[in-house]
Amino acid sequence: MRFDAAVLRSYEGRFAVEEVVLDSGPAGGEVLVRVAGSGMCRTDLAVRRSAGRSPLPAVLGHEGAGVVVETGGPDTGLSVGDHVVLSFDSCGHCRNCRGAAPAYCDSFASLNLFGGRTENAARFTDAAGGGLAPRWFGQSSFADYAMVPARNAVRVDPSLPLELLGPLGCGFLTGAGAVFHSFGVGAGDTVAVFGAGAVGLAAVMAATAAGALTVAVDRYPERLALAERLGAIALDAAAGGLPGRVRQLTDGGAQYALDTTGSDRLINDALRALRPLGHLGLVARLHSALRLEVGALDRGRRISHICEGDAVPGLLVPRLIGLWRAGRFPFDELIRTYPLGGINEAERDCDEGRVVKPVLIPEGRGR
């Protein structure tokens, strides 16, 4: 089977849409999905800074959604024609997977970040027969088709706008899951979100839906305006006295803070913005030692790393869709679509803050 995919061949190079080859159908437990749309996540772009740990050449993309066109047998639980949202990979049998914590799978890094599943990997090559890295996050969905473990796929209502649903499998899932699962936010709680990108704005929407008072911090005026429209109080990240301003707005300090930036300064500001016993969650991958200021982590405040919003995708994705249908999680307002051939433009716009969530549409169906 031959189809188009966006291939990254060097850490500094541009993506190129090339013909790739899949030389066999789904194995047991797999499904072949015709991709309707795939979100671009900063984790995809972080491959460029991975110091060679993520093998290239590769087809990236891990926020896919599409239609099942072939299955590896009845044990997949899916049928041809099913509409699915694709999420992260996990083994399904380690202690954390069995404990409903697949984001903390013992094999998460190897399955998702540093090479993917090795079984049947050689089936996926470029048009000249050259090897491509095993599937990224079990998907490699910057392509017309994706071969995925059925475990990664969440069936959704076929009446939904399928091309827009992919980011529910990672970016939006991470922000909303942090609020609903990691923090357990409820009505009357207070939440401060540092960084109003896709993950941060998903957290804002989730906190607003939960009835919390929410403060959003960012450096881009357009994103602050969007956060306000989604129900948050907006604060400029460059303004002085940020922790004090958050504490004033939240009646003595936020109960919960989520940092999506990985900035030492903002992480320390977030800790100082918490009330006693407050909880700060980090979702960004840190690239250097975190320097905490004296006194930032005291009075019972705590800090933890959150992966994939502590979510079980098969449970959270339908919940987010239900909130969207009720007008309480308008994630579609954060999306701009691009044709797959416009992937380099999408990356540039993402890097420069011109778009919150790019979604790539195969076969020139972008708008």
Side-chain angles (χ1 to χ4, degrees), residues 78-203:
L78 295 168
S79 302
V80 171
D82 282 346
H83 288 209
V84 291
V85 170
L86 308 179
S87 196
F88 57 87
D89 202 357
S90 56
C91 73
H93 53 73
C94 71
R95 179 175 297 180
N96 288 336
C97 284
R98 295 197 311 269
Y104 304 97
C105 172
D106 288 349
S107 302
F108 185 92
S110 61
L111 289 176
N112 290 285
L113 299 171
F114 306 135
R117 293 180 181 267
T118 55
E119 61 268 29
N120 302 309
R123 295 177 300 167
F124 193 37
T125 67
D126 64 20
L132 297 171
R135 291 163 292 183
W136 176 248
F137 276 79
Q139 297 183 36
S140 290
S141 54
F142 288 166
D144 290 338
Y145 290 86
M147 185 75 79
V148 303
R151 178 176 175 79
N152 298 22
V154 180
R155 186 190 292 110
V156 296
D157 187 331
S159 69
L160 295 167
L162 184 61
E163 69 279 7
L164 302 183
L165 300 185
L168 294 176
C170 185
F172 297 157
L173 172 135
T174 296
V179 168
F180 291 143
H181 300 144
S182 312
F183 297 154
V185 171
D189 288 342
T190 52
V191 181
V193 177
F194 289 73
V199 174
L201 289 172

Side-chain angles (χ1 to χ4, degrees), residues 117-314:
R117 293 180 181 267
T118 55
E119 61 268 29
N120 302 309
R123 295 177 300 167
F124 193 37
T125 67
D126 64 20
L132 297 171
R135 291 163 292 183
W136 176 248
F137 276 79
Q139 297 183 36
S140 290
S141 54
F142 288 166
D144 290 338
Y145 290 86
M147 185 75 79
V148 303
R151 178 176 175 79
N152 298 22
V154 180
R155 186 190 292 110
V156 296
D157 187 331
S159 69
L160 295 167
L162 184 61
E163 69 279 7
L164 302 183
L165 300 185
L168 294 176
C170 185
F172 297 157
L173 172 135
T174 296
V179 168
F180 291 143
H181 300 144
S182 312
F183 297 154
V185 171
D189 288 342
T190 52
V191 181
V193 177
F194 289 73
V199 174
L201 289 172
V204 166
M205 290 187 290
T208 301
L213 185 153
T214 310
V215 177
V217 177
D218 202 274
R219 59 179 174 164
Y220 293 111
E222 300 85 357
R223 294 192 177 185
L224 290 174
L226 183 52
E228 282 190 317
R229 193 164 79 242
L230 296 172
I233 301 168
L235 291 179
D236 186 344
L242 193 56
R245 296 175 69 195
V246 174
R247 288 196 302 270
Q248 183 178 28
L249 290 167
T250 56
D251 191 25
Q255 290 167 272
Y256 307 103
L258 183 70
D259 179 77
T260 71
T261 70
S263 160
D264 279 14
R265 179 180 71 84
L266 289 178
I267 289 171
N268 279 281
D269 281 350
L271 281 169
R272 292 186 180 277
L274 290 173
R275 66 180 57 182
L277 302 177
H279 179 187
L280 169 62
L282 307 181
V283 297
R285 187 175 181 84
L286 301 178
H287 298 285
S288 61
L290 174 61
R291 294 181 173 86
L292 295 182
E293 297 169 1
V294 175
L297 192 61
D298 63 5
R299 305 194 69 197
R301 299 183 182 109
R302 60 191 176 99
I303 185 170
S304 68
H305 178 259
I306 297 170
C307 185
E308 301 288 355
D310 289 337
V312 176

Side-chain angles (χ1 to χ4, degrees), residues 331-350:
F331 68 88
D332 52 315
E333 295 183 18
L334 311 184
I335 288 173
R336 182 189 302 170
T337 60
Y338 299 75
L340 183 62
I343 186 170
N344 293 299
E345 178 188 359
E347 180 180 10
R348 181 202 66 204
D349 289 350
C350 187

